[in-house]
């Protein structure tokens, strides 16, 4: 239209110019012709202009109508409650309506020119972009539901969207038109309705809805499960289909009166399932009202309580049974008492108030060890029950025997929820049982085991010895001069004497040993698990000595008897109880033939050896008391400088008659008898005293090494002993070294490490002796706070003739030094051995090549001669 106006202006101007040209050139024919033509053209253009003006008027009228239509359309779009937007092919917003503005939370001016990434999360914007691309690619309309999360405030909304491709006049796709509706409220309503439907349908209670005539319109799954009827079978029926005839008419009448009066009825009904079985249900029936308050339906909620009713009956029976004559304890899964009966109070003395909240350890007597309870719980947890005898303690602190039965109570999942224990006091039963047992297995006069009991114990001991590779001994004993006591003082005196003899023998035995009276004055002792065959001779000697002490009887206070003992060892002298007793009896006659008042083994050579060993033990005891022990010193030499850096203290026994007795003869006896404890303490004190004396005399200081027996670590407070000796002698702790054997180090490792650490903190040096003879590794020894590692003499002896010993020694030196130990080789006797050790980098050596163990005065001279490093 604008072009038309411009053209009209140009035409008018041209017409005016043509007229002026004609007026100025009238004489010219050409001008006149031109004027006429221009006039014609102007006239034509005027006609065209008039037409254009008419068209302009029509356009203006159409534009006005179009404007009115557009305004009307925009008004409708603004009023539409749906969201409307328009995006170009690049996803840029071109326009939107007011509802879209409110939903997005921004004005149209702020929305146009932006994309979804400015308003929602990237993930959702990616989804929108993918949909838009798909719509434009397929040229199809898409309807979707989306959960929109806005980028600015994180709010959620559900929208139902219709997206359609937008075309230009030529049919080309230029963008996407979207129309969406916020369905958040609808979705929530649908979700709530779905949850309600699921709750009703999956409710464990049976639910039915009937009309006012009681015809069933709805029944849930629980109803069909309970009754056995399908929903199709009951719809349109009344609940009378379940009538068993067992519910009273009065109950039915009351039910209908209540609900017809608009109230809720609750009670129990006895109904019949489809298969004819009866069940009891707890029913709640209530009217359903419309918003205007009018009753339109009845709602019934029912629960099958058949099992509960049966359980109630069982519980009433159980309640009566609970108050029985047996004590009953109920605990929870954590073994905490939650209930006890009156019989429990009568048996234990604890009231319910005192017991509830405690654990059954309240009754623990201490007679059963941890292993007993472990086995009890293992069985209880494995099979769910345990029963057996147990000793418990009542409130008065009295210990009594019980027969205890424990049963685990489990739920449907197999999880233990409670424990039920029944307790029966079996004190009287045990007393009667013990009386019977005593009569059957014990001598009525002395209370000792009889022959039957002895044989049972002997069979058991032999089986145990076979299984554990142990040794046992049978001692057959006969009293000397007993017949004379009977003949002179009477049988009552004889019986009194036998009782005292039994008491003295029993005092000499361990709890694991058995002493039995076979009859008359014959006794048998069974010694289980003896370490050495001489142990039997030691016990026999002690018993003979005890029985030689005068007895005080009612008739006389100076009754003297004696005893002879025969010894048979298992398995050397017999492998059956009968053979052992027979051979011990033979040995007894040998002892009597030897002069009575002594013992004899079934083997003469064993008798001689045992007597010699016992004699040596007795002399060693006297030697310790008489100060016959000596300390010799063997030099420890620095392998590089050749000078003395220390000495190992070695105990010697200087017996008045035999002279020096080598350690291998008396140290094992000292270990077995416990004499090693006092020997070890004496050696430690003597070495520290001697060392301080040398220091006071100006002798150059060296480190003195003292051997420590494993028994001392087990049975003696080594830290206290060493501290006491150092304080008494004032000997410097840094000049004392304690040596522990490898085998002793490996026993009770945690305890040993603790003791060694405390000793190390005192400043004392620590060494491991005889390394290589045990089962430890160098890496493991690193756990111990040691300074010196001594290679056992057995590895040095065959150097350089034995390649294996050379390799082992070389490896010990190398690895030991790597781990930070000083390495000392024992028993070096040849120059070849010394050269090898020097080549391998050994630090220290000791042996006959330099000096054998010598007394203190000779060792001082050696120190002066060789010099101290």
């Amino acid at each position: 239209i604008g072009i038309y106006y411009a053209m009209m202006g140009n035409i008018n101007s041209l017409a005016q110019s043509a007229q002026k040209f004609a007026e100025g050139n009238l004489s010219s024919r050409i001008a006149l012709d031109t004027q006429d033509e221009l006039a014609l053209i102007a006239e034509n253009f005027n006609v065209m202009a008039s037409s254009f003006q008419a068209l302009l008027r029509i356009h203006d009228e159409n534009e006005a109508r179009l404007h009115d239509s557009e305004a009307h359309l925009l008004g409708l779009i603004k009023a539409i409650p749906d969201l409307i937007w328009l995006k170009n092919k690049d996803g840029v917003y071109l326009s939107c309506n007011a509802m879209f503005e409110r939903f997005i939370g921004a004005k149209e001016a702020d929305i146009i020119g932006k994309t979804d990434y400015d308003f929602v999360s990237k993930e959702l914007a990616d989804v929108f972009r993918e949909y838009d691309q798909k719509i434009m690619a397929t040229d199809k309309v898409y309807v979707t539901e989306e959960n929109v999360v806005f980028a600015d405030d994180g709010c959620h909304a559900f929208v139902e969207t219709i997206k359609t491709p937008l075309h230009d006049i030529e049919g080309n796709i230029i963008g996407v038109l979207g129309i969406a509706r916020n369905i958040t409220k609808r979705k929530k309503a649908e979700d709530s309705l779905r949850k309600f439907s699921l709750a009703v349908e999956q409710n464990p209670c049976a639910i039915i809805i009937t009309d006012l005539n009681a015809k069933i319109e709805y029944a849930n799954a629980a109803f069909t499960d309970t009754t056995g009827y399908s929903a199709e079978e009951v719809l349109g029926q009344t609940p009378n289909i379940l009538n068993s005839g067992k519910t009273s008419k009065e109950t039915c009448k009351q039910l209908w009166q209540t609900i017809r009066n608009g109230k809720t009825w609750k009670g129990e009904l006895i109904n019949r399932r489809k298969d004819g079985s009866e069940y009891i249900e707890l029913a709640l029936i209530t009217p359903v009202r419309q918003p205007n308050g009018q009753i339109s339906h009845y709602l019934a909620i029912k629960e099958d309580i058949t099992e509960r009713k049966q359980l109630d009956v069982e519980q009433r029976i159980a309640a009566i049974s609970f108050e029985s004559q047996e004590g009953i304890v109920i605990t929870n899964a954590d073994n905490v008492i939650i209930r006890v009966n009156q019989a429990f109070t009568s048996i234990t003395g604890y009231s319910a108030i005192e017991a509830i909240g405690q654990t059954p350890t309240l009754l623990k007597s201490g007679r059963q060890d941890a292993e007993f309870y472990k086995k009890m719980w293992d069985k209880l947890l494995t099979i769910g029950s345990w029963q057996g005898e147990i000793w418990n303690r009542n409130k008065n602190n009295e210990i009594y025997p019980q027969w205890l039965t424990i049963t685990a109570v489990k739920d449907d999942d197999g999880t233990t929820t409670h424990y039920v224990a029944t307790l029966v006091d079996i004190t009287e039963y045990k007393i009667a049982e013990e009386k019977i047992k005593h009569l059957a297995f014990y001598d009525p006069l002395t209370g000792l085991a009889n022959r039957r009991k002895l044989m049972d114990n002997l069979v058991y001991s032999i089986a145990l010895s076979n299984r554990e590779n142990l040794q046992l001994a049978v001692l057959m004993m006969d009293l000397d001069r007993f017949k004379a006591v009977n003949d002179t003082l009477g049988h009552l005196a004889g019986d009194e004497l036998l009782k005292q003899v039994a008491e003295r023998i029993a005092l000499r035995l361990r709890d694991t040993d058995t002493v039995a009276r076979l009859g008359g004055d014959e006794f048998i002792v069974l010694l289980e698990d003896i370490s050495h065959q001489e142990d039997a001779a030691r016990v026999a000697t002690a018993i003979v000595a005890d029985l030689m002490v005068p007895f005080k009887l009612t008739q006389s206070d100076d009754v003297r008897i004696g005893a002879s003992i025969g010894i048979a060892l298992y398995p050397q002298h017999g492998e059956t109880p009968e053979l052992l007793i027979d051979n011990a009896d033979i040995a007894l006659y040998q002892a009597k033939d030897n002069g009575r008042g002594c013992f004899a083994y079934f083997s003469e050579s064993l008798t001689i050896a045992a007597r010699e060993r016992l004699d040596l033990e007795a002399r060693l005891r006297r030697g310790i008391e008489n100060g016959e022990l000596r300390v010799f010193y063997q030099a420890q030499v620095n392998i590089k400088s050749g000078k003395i850096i220390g000495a190992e203290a070695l105990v010697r026994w200087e017996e008045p008659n035999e002279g020096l007795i080598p350690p291998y003869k008396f140290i094992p006896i000292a270990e077995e008898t416990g004499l090693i404890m006092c020997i070890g303490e004496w050696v430690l004190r003597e070495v520290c005293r001697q060392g301080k004396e040398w220091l006071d005399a100006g002798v150059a200081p060296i480190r003195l090494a003292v051997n420590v027996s494993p028994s001392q670590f087990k049975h003696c407070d080594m830290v206290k002993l060493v501290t006491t000796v150092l304080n008494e002698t004032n000997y410097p702790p840094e000049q004392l070294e304690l040596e522990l054997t490898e085998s002793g180090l490996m026993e009770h490792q945690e305890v040993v490490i603790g003791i060694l650490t405390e000793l190390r903190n005192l400043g004392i040096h620590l060494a491991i002796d005889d390394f290589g003879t045990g089962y430890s590794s160098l890496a493991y020894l690193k756990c111990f706070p040691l300074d010196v590692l001594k290679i056992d003499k057995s590895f040095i002896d065959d150097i350089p003739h034995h390649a294996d010993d050379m390799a082992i020694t070389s490896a010990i030196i190398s690895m030991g030094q790597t781990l930070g130990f000083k390495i000392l080789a024992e028993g070096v006797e040849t120059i070849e051995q010394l050269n090898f050790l020097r080549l391998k980098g050994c630090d220290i050596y000791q042996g006959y090549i330099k000096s054998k163990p010598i007394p203190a005065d000779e060792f001082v001279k050696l120190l002066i001669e060789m010099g101290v490093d």
Side-chain angles (χ1 to χ4, degrees), residues 201 207-208 216-239 241-242 272-275 279:
E201 186 60 28
I207 297 176
I208 59 172
I216 298 174
E217 295 182 352
Y218 171 81
N220 70 347
F223 176 86
T224 60
D225 291 341
T226 301
T227 64
Y229 289 101
S230 67
E232 292 75 12
E233 290 175 312
V234 298
L235 292 180
Q237 301 288 334
T238 68
I241 194 175
L242 306 173
R272 190 189 305 275
R273 298 184 180 90
K274 183 178 179 180
D275 61 8
Y279 66 100

Side-chain angles (χ1 to χ4, degrees), residues 458 462 570 574-581:
L458 193 49
I462 290 174
Y570 177 85
E575 297 184 353
T576 65
E578 295 78 11
L579 190 56
L580 283 172
I581 292 175

